[in-house]
Amino acid sequence: MKNTFYITTPIYYVNDLPHIGHAYTSVACDVLARFMRLAGRDVRLLTGTDEHGQKVEKSSQAKGIAPKQFVDEVSRHFRDLAKLMNISNNDFIRTTEPRHIKGTQLLWQKMQESGHIYLGSYAGWYAVRDEAFYAESELVNGKAPSGAEVEWVEEPSYFFRLSAFQDKLLKFYEEHPDFIMPQSRRNEVISFVKGGLKDLSISRTTFNWGIPVPGDEKHIMYVWLDALANYITAPGYPDGEDYKKFWPGMHMVGKDILRFHAVYWPAFLMSADLPPPRRVFAHGWWTIEGEKMSKSLGNVVAPSELVETYGLDQTRYFLMREVPFGNDGNFARERMASVINSELANNVGNLIQRTLSMIHKNCGGVVPDAQGVAKDERDMAFLQKAQVTDSVTHQDVEKRYYDCKFNEILADIMHIASEANLYIDTKAPWKQKKIDEKLMQATLYHLAEAIRCIAIMLQPFIPDSAAKILVMLGYAEEKAAKGISFSELAPEYALKSGTVIAPPQPLFPRIEI
Ligand code: MSP
């Protein structure tokens, strides 16, 4: 891996209000971006809105306003989402921006110059909801496989020679076994491509809301070509410094849009002689209390409501903790409350509360001194896990993040916190105090140091709370807010005795079930 890291969320359709699915992808990208920054990489995180196409045009018509006015009004919902979820994006791209339109038209020209675009006519099915073309054979009971309504379309159209890329794509997947993740999704894509690729219609003439085809302005580019191009136009394709520095990047997408990212997009790029993305990770879908989330069922979960009810970091934590990334998951309120209570409130919260209040009561509110007390086996086992310092473990952590093993990483951090709680019970510092105060001091020191490590490790997931914990332990507010590098897990950065620490503040209130 080079020292830069570029990660993207899908760009969201503006006709919908943000829901838990959007928050999920964005938080996952943010966790990865924050980790990579703290591991010392130069990171770019991109999100934005997909504002063209028939779906958006229809929504604006339904509101009786011009599409441009409509998108200007609604794209801010997704800017607000990024703020609400504390997403550390470096940029926000809107596909109606001139920088995007210019870059996308250039991409089209490159694809055309290499002979991969030709004029023909399209006759077939189109699903506006999916913004996708379907062959007769793909329909299920007269609908798209996704359940979307389809309409018959017959019009002149430019085509992309996707058929010419079947072997190239298969070779590319073969040479890059981790390009599509998880593996089960990779296998699906490979069998789809092996089944044969047809040329793809990439322009429409029966509506207007999109990017005109250069040199033939009656044609509007297919919205997926337009949308996918955002990943390179935002950093400044073709000459922008950031484009040159950061591309190729990694895309995080839901399983429903994997084909666009893992088949069409690399083929478009190859045809323009540009490098394909570095990785496409497809995550699963959330059902809500066992049901598919849908407007008609009225069970759409708004991120703002979750943040209000459970708290921001609690929501981020739950989304990353509940489901192995890549699998489908079920969202249930009772379960969310119980995960927050048992892991954040009872495990981490209690550990901090117990340790810091004992330090305040018994050590004058400063980090105690462990000098002169030999470490026993228990101390060692415990600290070695907390201070994950050696480079081998560190490399391993990086791969786990890159492979999006978020729930396992959190399980490991929680395990350290549980061990620390157990350590308090077995060492019983309140008893040690009566035997030899030095023993108690050493125990409390090791616990405070474990909390420091746990907070550093939790930063990508719950950045605000982690910073608060670090400030309680004596880190300067500004430094903690910027984030503490993972290299500071090393023992040479361990807490210094005598450092003044703040009285514990409640961080994760218990949620009533
Ligand atoms: N505009 C396209 C993406 C273009 S990217 C070049 C799009 N937008 S979307 O707003 O409809 O969807 C964005 C993401 O939300 C997708 O990755 C989709 O998988 C995800 N989700 C939508 N519903 C979801 C759930 N119920 N659960 C998890 N993610 C879900 O597609």
Side-chain angles (χ1 to χ4, degrees), residues 9-13 46-50 78 91-94 230:
T9 76
I11 49 171
Y12 303 112
Y13 287 129
L46 176 68
T47 187
T49 40
D50 188 352
F78 287 91
D91 193 1
F92 187 101
I93 180 93
R94 298 181 54 191
N230 92 87

Side-chain angles (χ1 to χ4, degrees), residues 12-226:
Y12 303 112
Y13 287 129
V14 282
N15 52 296
D16 256 344
L17 284 174
H19 57 60
I20 185 175
H22 304 122
Y24 185 51
T25 324
S26 291
V27 169
C29 290
D30 185 57
V31 167
L32 201 43
R34 286 177 188 269
F35 171 80
M36 290 294 178
R37 283 190 200 106
L38 295 175
R41 283 181 198 281
D42 194 354
V43 173
R44 205 187 147 99
L45 164 57
L46 176 68
T47 187
T49 40
D50 188 352
E51 303 190 358
H52 288 134
Q54 237 181 325
K55 175 150 84 172
V56 172
E57 191 183 67
K58 282 194 171 172
S59 300
S60 72
Q61 282 162 354
K63 286 240 152 79
I65 51 178
K68 180 71 171 82
Q69 189 192 344
F70 175 69
V71 298
D72 285 346
E73 281 173 27
V74 290
S75 90
R76 95 186 133 73
H77 294 307
F78 287 91
R79 257 180 219 276
D80 294 347
L81 174 75
K83 242 196 224 119
L84 175 80
M85 300 310 297
N86 198 5
I87 306 302
S88 59
N89 54 303
N90 306 84
D91 193 1
F92 187 101
I93 180 93
R94 298 181 54 191
T95 54
T96 48
E97 286 175 66
R99 61 170 171 159
H100 173 72
I101 295 169
K102 212 171 110 219
T104 307
Q105 287 180 324
L106 180 69
L107 175 66
W108 177 288
Q109 278 164 343
K110 295 289 170 206
M111 292 164 65
Q112 195 163 38
E113 278 164 23
S114 67
H116 292 99
I117 292 180
Y118 62 92
L119 187 60
S121 73
Y122 179 79
W125 298 101
Y126 191 79
V128 176
R129 198 181 84 193
D130 302 347
E131 296 282 18
F133 299 95
Y134 292 106
E136 182 78 40
S137 59
E138 285 178 285
L139 300 190
V140 184
N141 302 325
K143 289 189 176 176
S146 62
E149 299 288 341
V150 291
E151 56 189 48
W152 184 257
V153 170
E154 218 173 311
E155 60 191 37
S157 171
Y158 283 96
F159 283 82
F160 172 67
R161 277 186 215 285
L162 185 61
S163 56
F165 288 88
Q166 183 165 345
D167 294 340
K168 284 187 195 122
L169 284 169
L170 290 171
K171 184 161 172 273
F172 180 74
Y173 303 146
E174 182 82 36
E175 285 167 357
H176 301 86
D178 296 332
F179 170 64
I180 302 165
M181 301 249 318
Q183 283 297 317
S184 54
R185 298 278 167 218
R186 172 177 193 257
N187 297 339
E188 279 172 25
V189 171
I190 290 179
S191 55
F192 169 75
V193 174
K194 279 190 175 155
L197 294 176
K198 288 202 202 62
D199 290 351
L200 182 72
S201 165
I202 51 164
S203 78
R204 304 280 311 270
T205 47
T206 45
F207 77 102
N208 287 319
W209 184 235
I211 302 181
V213 166
D216 192 354
E217 314 240 319
K218 289 186 304 300
H219 286 260
I220 295 298
M221 281 186 213
Y222 177 36
V223 65
W224 266 103
L225 170 54
D226 165 348

Side-chain angles (χ1 to χ4, degrees), residues 295-334:
K295 274 190 221 159
S296 50
L297 285 173
N299 65 351
V300 176
V301 175
S304 54
E305 189 257 314
L306 292 183
V307 169
E308 245 166 65
T309 312
Y310 302 94
L312 166 63
D313 280 344
Q314 288 86 337
T315 302
R316 290 175 56 109
Y317 182 87
F318 178 73
L319 292 176
M320 294 297 102
R321 176 71 177 104
E322 179 66 351
V323 192
F325 204 68
N327 293 10
D328 289 334
N330 180 46
F331 174 84
R333 282 169 192 279
E334 203 171 308

Side-chain angles (χ1 to χ4, degrees), residues 278-434:
R278 183 198 282 203
R279 171 171 288 188
V280 180
F281 199 109
H283 64 70
W285 269 45
W286 289 90
T287 49
I288 308 300
E289 313 278 352
E291 302 224 52
K292 201 178 161 186
M293 180 166 69
S294 81
K295 274 190 221 159
S296 50
L297 285 173
N299 65 351
V300 176
V301 175
S304 54
E305 189 257 314
L306 292 183
V307 169
E308 245 166 65
T309 312
Y310 302 94
L312 166 63
D313 280 344
Q314 288 86 337
T315 302
R316 290 175 56 109
Y317 182 87
F318 178 73
L319 292 176
M320 294 297 102
R321 176 71 177 104
E322 179 66 351
V323 192
F325 204 68
N327 293 10
D328 289 334
N330 180 46
F331 174 84
R333 282 169 192 279
E334 203 171 308
R335 170 87 191 139
M336 179 163 176
S338 107
V339 169
I340 292 170
N341 285 344
S342 68
E343 302 193 355
L344 289 178
N346 296 352
N347 194 7
V348 179
N350 250 345
L351 173 66
I352 296 169
Q353 193 66 34
R354 292 167 92 186
T355 306
L356 298 199
S357 58
M358 271 189 275
I359 290 177
H360 266 268
K361 233 166 81 195
N362 303 303
C363 315
V366 300
V367 175
D369 196 347
Q371 297 291 315
V373 179
K375 280 191 197 141
D376 64 21
E377 229 171 78
R378 243 178 205 290
D379 305 321
M380 296 302 288
F382 178 71
L383 285 177
Q384 267 166 4
K385 254 188 231 156
Q387 298 169 319
V388 191
T389 52
D390 64 283
S391 63
V392 182
T393 322
H394 190 251
Q395 285 296 327
D396 192 30
V397 166
E398 191 157 279
K399 182 167 169 8
R400 292 173 83 195
Y401 269 97
Y402 190 38
D403 291 348
C404 303
K405 305 270 186 213
F406 306 125
N407 73 320
E408 288 178 20
I409 293 168
L410 284 173
D412 285 354
I413 303 175
M414 282 309 120
H415 187 68
I416 296 174
S418 312
E419 283 193 336
N421 273 312
L422 205 68
Y423 177 83
I424 306 188
D425 298 336
T426 40
K427 287 276 173 174
W430 50 91
K431 280 190 197 151
Q432 289 178 318
K433 186 183 170 190
K434 291 179 198 148

